[in-house]
Amino acid sequence: MDSLERMGKENNTSVTEFILLGLSSNPAEELVFFEVFTAIYLVALMGNVLILLLVSLDSQLHMPMYFLLGNLSIVDIGYTSSTVPRMLANYLSGDKSISWAGCLSQMFFFISFGGVECLILGVMVYDCYLAICHPLHYGMFMSPRVCTLLAEAAWVMGLTNSAVHSSLMSILSFCWGNILHHFFCDIPPLFQLSCSDTRANQAVTIVVGGAIIFSSLLGTLVSYVHITMAVLRICTREESLNAFSTCASHLTVVSLYFGTILFTYLCPNSTYSQEQDRALPMLYGIIIPMLNPIIYSLRNKDVKGDLQKSLGRS
């Protein structure tokens, strides 16, 4: 680690690459991390690919709810693939360097998929709200065309948000070394290495990124309030408990996801610590994409039934 630190200090005049220290520089700990994150990545990949295949191949699942689940699976595959394979390769090879272009590309894809995930989660809860609170008008409010437009809007807004951040990041100068105490290139640690004035970048992060996060979070919370009121009004006690059990798991994941993102990207740069805060992106960028197929899909009786039929045929 000392040699990497010296390399970063010697290269502080013209940074062409960064050193990703990851979660640890201890070889024994790195081996453990490699095994753990390989398992997590494979579970996330297989779970999301399975859901995507089921939704694509079964015509009975060609409905707005499952169309959105398919989009979420695509996002989660891209989300984890933007960081985990590189981290695993670093642990295996011992070469933790990444070019400036590679660093910027990694940040672009990670922020893109993160923004799209925020918006897709909001649309999914809105779909659930319409199905429960306005069942008679559901077909009109959430027609296949409307659902497709909402999903497309989520992708466009997520990609645009990331393009803005990446463009502003690309014009910064870095002269405080090139050591990132992180497992991927992220906005806050790069801000700390920049010797440029990052106030404009931070303002854009708060305004543009905050608008996406808060709008999706607010819509999610409002929808859940209406869903709760509707469930209490129309369901029996047993049905209400089942519904709240599902909603509680959804809400727990959503709360963890939005909470960690808000803490990471909307806190002042002066309070950010690379060593202390690098575990948060691991939660919302790796762990939650692994949980999403279980929480949003495999607990769904239609998806489980379709999976059981497919396994039975096999």
Side-chain angles (χ1 to χ4, degrees), residues 63-261:
M63 299 163 57
M65 178 194 306
Y66 304 109
F67 174 75
L68 295 173
L69 283 176
N71 274 267
L72 185 65
S73 293
I74 294 173
V75 172
D76 284 336
I77 291 170
Y79 210 3
T80 53
S81 298
S82 65
T83 58
V84 177
R86 178 78 195 199
M87 177 175 62
L88 297 178
N90 290 350
Y91 285 147
L92 273 183
S93 66
D95 180 8
K96 299 186 177 183
S97 62
I98 183 172
S99 67
W100 170 225
C103 185
L104 197 64
S105 298
Q106 188 181 58
M107 189 194 79
F108 170 80
F109 286 111
F110 185 81
I111 300 299
S112 294
F113 288 119
V116 176
E117 175 128 347
C118 282
L119 296 166
I120 290 292
L121 287 175
V123 175
M124 288 174 65
V125 178
Y126 174 67
D127 173 76
C128 184
Y129 157 74
L130 290 177
I132 293 176
C133 300
H134 300 283
L136 297 180
H137 301 94
Y138 176 81
M140 179 177 64
F141 289 143
M142 190 57 78
S143 65
R145 175 175 173 77
V146 171
C147 184
T148 301
L149 288 175
L150 289 173
E152 290 176 350
W155 280 94
V156 170
M157 292 173 66
L159 292 170
T160 303
N161 169 61
S162 184
V164 170
H165 295 310
S166 300
S167 298
L168 290 174
M169 186 67 73
S170 68
I171 62 178
L172 296 181
S173 299
F174 297 89
C175 53
W176 302 124
N178 64 343
I179 302 295
L180 289 172
H181 296 267
H182 217 305
F183 64 92
F184 74 102
C185 293
D186 201 7
I187 292 176
L190 287 173
F191 278 167
Q192 290 196 329
L193 295 183
S194 176
C195 51
S196 302
D197 187 351
T198 62
R199 286 178 295 182
N201 297 64
Q202 294 180 54
V204 170
T205 300
I206 293 174
V207 174
V208 179
I212 288 180
I213 296 171
F214 276 117
S215 61
S216 184
L217 177 59
L218 182 61
T220 298
L221 294 177
V222 170
S223 296
Y224 268 119
V225 169
H226 286 285
I227 289 171
T228 301
M229 294 172 62
V231 168
L232 290 174
R233 187 172 61 250
I234 65 177
C235 295
T236 64
R237 184 175 181 275
E238 183 178 353
E239 290 171 338
S240 298
L241 290 175
N242 290 333
F244 288 142
S245 173
T246 302
C247 286
S249 59
H250 292 186
L251 196 56
T252 299
V253 172
V254 168
S255 300
L256 285 172
Y257 183 75
F258 284 110
T260 50
I261 285 183

